Amino acid sequence: MRTSVHHDNQELHYMQNVTVSAVSGHPVQIAQPRVTDAEYDQIIDYWTDRISRVLPDQPDLVVLPEMFDRPQVSGQPSASHLPTGPKEEFARDKGTRIRDALAEIAVAHHTYVTYPSYRITDDGAIVNALEFIGRDGGTAAVYDKIVPTLNEQAGLDIKPGDTALAADLDFGRVSGIICFDLNFEQVRAAVAQVKPQLIVFPSAYHGGLMQNYWALSCRSFFVGCVYPPNRSAIIDPTGQEVASTSTYDWLITRTINLDYTLVHLDNNREKLLQLKQKYGAEVQIHDPGLVGMVIVYSHSDAVNSATMVAEFEMQVLDDYFADSTAHLAERGVRVPN
């Protein structure tokens, strides 16, 4: 986890290791469309048990799939087939009981826990939301799904969000998107603009290569937590998958280092060698191949990756790209938008 101290009027950034768990599973089955108090207890017990399986790894963040708490009527083909009327009743009736159970876990295990579910706004509207419950059980951040599906809009009149999330948690900056959001360039561009270090994606569908593209284009780690049989995964800022769930269980935990900087290989190969020679094991230079860039990770207790890159006069990746198009503009060449 990132920590920082002040010394001689300078801030020293320690490495930003964060342990992330994705916890998925099948929806709880109920006999009838309307949820009873006993079935709410069943939902809480089931997901509490699922989460308990990753707690020995001491995660900093536990990620759950979209609408994980919404049950499925036995015999229906998908978790989304709770009828519209009971679905709205569930959204309004569940109250805080499931959130309270997650908050207890967050406090007891000093972790953040995501709560991706329906949220009722002050004016009574229903929102498809992603709440980050803090280590103290309070609300650390909330994101409202910007692009609900047509079925969500027509059936439940889901109120759309209008703002990309930028939440500075104690280990780094996170953003979030939910399911259908993954398809929209406008949402991706807004998320990229807030410069997250980690994007959290609870979803009812996987999205395929779009997960990798979002990680690469936003220069961010990406954790996607989806329903089985799809695999949940953690993807690095070059779009490379670094961990995924297996075919036998739907849990994953991985420690990732959020003290990273992306640089292009152009003009930097010799500088990268010099960087490695100076810092040795305190720096990791990961080359994923194919994309012409590397990730510089700092494992130093005193020097962050941005400082290392600047020391050897390397441009960060996006500055290099910006200079490339600016040079064209100076020559009178217009790059299409």
Side-chain angles (χ1 to χ4, degrees):
M1 185 195 309
R2 179 184 66 185
T3 59
S4 63
V5 297
H6 287 82
H7 179 69
D8 294 336
N9 297 319
Q10 292 183 341
E11 188 175 27
L12 303 180
H13 296 274
Y14 290 178
M15 63 181 179
Q16 303 173 45
N17 287 336
V18 54
T19 300
V20 179
S21 294
V23 177
S24 190
H26 292 292
V28 170
Q29 302 288 305
I30 61 175
Q32 301 295 327
R34 286 175 169 80
V35 188
T36 66
D37 286 341
E39 287 166 338
Y40 278 115
D41 290 340
Q42 183 184 354
I43 292 167
I44 291 169
D45 289 345
Y46 172 76
W47 286 103
T48 298
D49 176 70
R50 296 294 296 159
I51 294 170
S52 73
R53 303 183 190 198
V54 301
L55 293 176
D57 289 315
Q58 299 181 340
D60 295 291
L61 174 65
V62 176
V63 181
L64 297 164
E66 179 190 26
M67 298 296 172
F68 73 97
D69 57 349
R70 189 175 63 193
Q72 176 182 356
V73 181
S74 298
Q76 294 292 334
S78 138
S80 65
H81 284 78
L82 197 65
T84 298
K87 197 180 293 184
E88 179 172 356
E89 182 179 293
F90 170 75
R92 299 188 184 281
D93 181 61
K94 66 188 177 74
T96 66
R97 65 185 95 188
I98 297 169
R99 187 207 178 278
D100 290 346
L102 297 181
E104 288 181 9
I105 294 171
V107 172
H109 297 274
H110 194 58
T111 184
Y112 290 89
V113 180
T114 65
Y115 182 35
S117 188
Y118 295 122
R119 179 173 73 85
I120 306 301
T121 65
D122 291 340
D123 60 1
I126 301 175
V127 176
N128 187 339
L130 167 61
E131 178 184 357
F132 289 81
I133 300 173
R135 300 181 195 268
D136 61 355
T139 298
V142 177
Y143 166 74
D144 294 336
K145 187 175 184 178
I146 291 177
V147 188
T149 65
L150 286 176
N151 287 338
E152 286 180 306
Q153 295 181 52
L156 284 180
D157 192 24
I158 291 290
K159 181 180 180 180
D162 60 5
T163 305
L165 176 66
D168 291 314
L169 306 184
D170 61 17
F171 56 75
R173 171 164 288 194
V174 302
S175 191
I177 57 171
I178 300 172
C179 199
F180 201 50
D181 284 330
L182 193 72
N183 295 288
F184 295 90
E185 173 60 20
Q186 306 95 309
V187 182
R188 189 210 60 80
V191 171
Q193 191 170 9
V194 304
K195 299 185 182 303
Q197 294 166 286
L198 175 64
I199 297 170
V200 175
F201 175 61
S203 185
Y205 96 120
H206 187 277
L209 61 83
M210 290 301 291
Q211 289 195 22
N212 307 77
Y213 172 68
W214 270 68
L216 173 64
S217 62
C218 294
R219 320 300 190 218
S220 175
F221 277 95
F222 186 104
V223 53
C225 189
V226 298
Y227 291 114
N230 290 313
R231 293 189 179 193
S232 299
I234 298 172
I235 302 166
D236 77 16
T238 67
Q240 200 174 49
E241 184 179 287
V242 296
S244 73
T245 52
S246 77
T247 55
Y248 302 106
D249 204 355
W250 309 292
L251 308 169
I252 187 172
T253 299
R254 177 61 59 94
T255 298
I256 56 178
N257 184 356
L258 297 187
D259 189 345
Y260 66 86
T261 300
L262 293 173
V263 299
H264 203 276
L265 289 173
D266 283 0
N267 307 319
N268 288 324
R269 293 176 187 269
E270 185 63 31
K271 295 175 181 178
L272 288 165
L273 289 174
Q274 294 169 0
L275 172 63
K276 186 64 177 177
Q277 288 168 358
K278 175 172 180 178
Y279 285 99
E282 291 188 327
V283 66
Q284 177 188 355
I285 301 170
H286 173 62
D287 180 0
L290 304 178
V291 288
M293 66 181 72
V294 297
I295 310 178
V296 176
Y297 292 102
S298 172
H299 297 292
S300 169
D301 286 342
V303 184
N304 64 22
S305 62
T307 300
M308 290 178 175
V309 166
E311 179 182 349
F312 288 88
E313 299 181 343
M314 289 182 275
Q315 281 186 307
V316 299
L317 181 71
D318 287 324
D319 287 350
Y320 175 69
F321 288 157
D323 277 359
S324 299
T325 54
H327 183 66
L328 288 173
E330 291 171 1
R331 297 171 55 199
V333 178
R334 179 181 174 274
V335 178
N337 293 326

